[in-house]
Amino acid sequence: MPERKRVAVLADSDTRWKWGALTARRLVPDHQLTGFLLRGRATPTARQLGEVGVRADRLSEVTCAEFLAEIERERYDVVVLALVGGAVQAVLHGARALWPAPAGRPVFVTGYVGVVYEKLADGLLLRHGADLVLANSRHDAQRFRAVYEGVGADAAAVTETALPFLGGAPYEQAGSRAHTVVFAVQPSVPDRRADRAYLLERAAGHARLHPEREVLIKLRSKPGEHTTHLEEQPYQRLAERLPGGLPANCRLVYGNMGEVLDGTDLLVTVSSTAALESLHRSVPTAILTDLGIRESLGNHHFLGSGCLASWDQIDSGLLPQGDPVWLAAQGVLPPAGADGRADRGVDRGADRGADGRAERRADGRAERRADGPAERSTDEGAGPDAYALARAKVAGLLAAARLPSPAPYYTLTTAPGYLPGILARHHLAPDGTPLPGAVRPAAGESRLRRRLRSHLREAARGAYRHGVQRVAPVIRRLGEL
């Protein structure tokens, strides 16, 4: 029996951990997964990891330099870098320093966790040098190659796939009205307090206008927790100040988005990746235009989707349906039935009651909203294998006795005023080697000292998050006086 491949996933937030771990599952189905969380402001809490519901054989928190020491010491076949661009670049330059010549090294894979609507060139060039740069759609793959070719860089690493968490039971239409409306909020879109308060008021107003509906405000994190993006104005606190409070049929919820979608009849958002998940399952989806269609909001990405709508239109009963051509280009075409058409009427994960909501199966897997952190399958209802090409590329690289040294586009020649600062933030020298003291020797350090260091680190993170969510908004408002 062939030995299982060893895969390491390095992630810097809860959503990137989900993307990285599920991507590893798609690329190397039979593997031993070791997880690493990059130490930083968005390092997820145990609750956030439990909500994601994707487990590793081992999970630990590391710095960039410590991770490089780990992959030099231990043999990993594949390394998935689920990180912001600067951190990806730091790891790639660190790997280049470890393997300056062709050698038996890991296959490096990176990509994006969702919609790519800002900093396209910057983010892509910081990811250049990985063996595979995954694109979540044909549209993204074309854009990615154009950027690399535009600077004369090798674009062969760009590989079209799909978001690894697309899946779940196709939506079964529940009549002319939406029974459960889910407003999927985002940590930093919009970022102004007044705009976020407006959206919350409109969601609450929709609940008052339609008392027969249940309106759920789907939150990303609890106050004090951070995700991929900073959240200075948590909806929880805005809800506390809402005049009259939330109506009885409107409430705040947490949980795995896939499980929430099991009982959703209409998803509403500004530009969340949750929209791609719901569109994949043929759930009616509204991309809000109330605050305009602007690049800063990310909803411009959905031009041509057929889903742009305002709260006024939603209040009037609009249930937007995705445009098939747009869906196909974005890699989120709903699952196809035997006749090749979108299979909207077959619910493989749950039976729906007379009210159109998903009911519990005998095994409890397709509950309307799960209470626990059970792991979900992302292959349910999937169409053609979007990862076949990427899997073949990885297999080919693994079969090679030696791989060339990573070759990022950014070097001390192409970006001498930019690259050293990126590497220094991760305690690496300009040549990619760790700075003195960057890797702390574990030997000889007592358990008490390690525990004390961990508590101090958590206290520092707490102070930072308090500053972002409490102090910074006050200072900003004072500056606007």
Side-chain angles (χ1 to χ4, degrees), residues 191 232-233 468 471-481:
D191 57 357
E232 293 187 5
Q233 302 288 348
V468 168
V471 181
V474 173
I475 294 175
R476 188 172 291 110
R477 287 198 296 271
L478 288 174
E480 294 172 353
L481 292 177

Side-chain angles (χ1 to χ4, degrees), residues 32-77:
Q32 178 184 343
L33 177 61
T34 304
F36 299 91
L37 302 176
L38 186 65
R39 192 170 297 148
R41 64 158 184 84
T43 306
T45 64
R47 189 205 68 81
Q48 288 174 296
L49 291 174
E51 185 175 286
V52 167
V54 184
R55 302 182 182 92
D57 298 302
R58 179 166 64 89
L59 189 64
S60 55
E61 187 177 315
V62 295
T63 64
C64 180
E66 289 169 347
F67 179 73
L68 290 168
E70 167 75 14
I71 62 175
E72 180 185 26
R73 181 174 57 250
E74 298 288 336
R75 168 69 183 181
Y76 290 98
D77 299 290

Side-chain angles (χ1 to χ4, degrees), residues 3-300:
E3 186 179 354
R4 288 202 304 165
K5 300 297 183 183
R6 296 190 65 191
V7 179
V9 173
L10 177 63
D12 57 8
S13 70
D14 56 340
T15 51
R16 291 201 179 97
W17 164 248
K18 176 182 178 181
W19 177 87
L22 293 179
T23 294
R25 181 184 296 174
R26 295 294 187 99
L27 292 176
V28 190
D30 184 22
H31 66 266
Q32 178 184 343
L33 177 61
T34 304
F36 299 91
L37 302 176
L38 186 65
R39 192 170 297 148
R41 64 158 184 84
T43 306
T45 64
R47 189 205 68 81
Q48 288 174 296
L49 291 174
E51 185 175 286
V52 167
V54 184
R55 302 182 182 92
D57 298 302
R58 179 166 64 89
L59 189 64
S60 55
E61 187 177 315
V62 295
T63 64
C64 180
E66 289 169 347
F67 179 73
L68 290 168
E70 167 75 14
I71 62 175
E72 180 185 26
R73 181 174 57 250
E74 298 288 336
R75 168 69 183 181
Y76 290 98
D77 299 290
V78 178
V79 170
V80 179
L81 301 175
L83 307 163
V84 295
V88 173
Q89 187 74 180
V91 173
L92 292 175
H93 274 276
R96 182 177 176 83
L98 292 176
W99 296 287
R105 62 164 179 84
V107 175
F108 291 98
V109 180
T110 191
Y112 288 87
V113 72
V115 175
V116 184
Y117 66 85
E118 61 179 355
K119 300 180 181 179
L120 176 65
D122 189 25
L124 275 173
L125 292 174
L126 288 171
R127 288 169 170 81
H128 188 269
D131 298 296
L132 273 74
V133 178
L134 304 183
N136 296 324
S137 66
R138 182 174 69 249
H139 174 70
D140 279 351
Q142 292 169 348
R143 293 194 299 159
F144 291 5
R145 291 190 188 101
V147 169
Y148 287 159
E149 291 168 357
V151 298
D154 184 8
V158 176
T159 307
E160 182 184 339
T161 55
L163 287 169
F165 42 79
L166 294 182
Y171 174 66
E172 181 181 345
Q173 294 182 10
S176 61
R177 295 183 305 168
H179 297 286
T180 299
V181 179
V182 174
F183 174 35
V185 308
Q186 296 161 262
S188 59
V189 177
D191 57 357
R192 292 180 62 247
R193 181 180 182 276
D195 291 340
R196 295 170 78 81
Y198 165 81
L199 294 178
L200 181 61
E201 289 167 1
R202 291 305 304 260
H206 183 80
R208 294 188 187 96
L209 187 64
H210 297 278
E212 78 285 358
R213 298 180 180 179
E214 186 177 18
V215 178
L216 307 178
I217 313 297
K218 170 62 175 68
L219 304 171
R220 282 288 308 280
S221 60
K222 293 186 176 182
E225 296 177 338
H226 274 190
T227 57
T228 303
H229 302 283
L230 293 172
E231 184 170 24
E232 293 187 5
Q233 302 288 348
Y235 279 92
Q236 297 93 322
R237 297 204 175 103
L238 295 176
E240 293 171 358
R241 303 186 183 105
L242 191 68
L246 295 175
N249 61 328
C250 180
R251 56 194 176 89
L252 309 178
V253 298
Y254 300 92
N256 181 289
M257 178 53 75
E259 290 162 354
V260 173
L261 284 174
D262 285 341
T264 298
D265 298 296
L266 171 63
L267 182 95
V268 181
T269 187
V270 176
S271 59
S272 171
T273 301
L276 303 181
E277 294 186 65
S278 64
L279 286 167
H280 179 77
R281 297 169 66 164
S282 299
V283 175
T285 302
I287 302 299
L288 291 173
T289 62
D290 291 57
L291 303 176
I293 300 172
R294 296 181 282 156
E295 283 79 0
S296 60
L297 297 176
N299 53 359
H300 72 291

Side-chain angles (χ1 to χ4, degrees), residues 442-456:
E445 188 175 46
S446 68
R447 181 178 299 179
L448 177 61
R449 188 177 181 84
R450 287 197 300 270
R451 186 169 297 176
L452 178 61
R453 193 186 307 281
S454 176
H455 286 313
L456 288 173

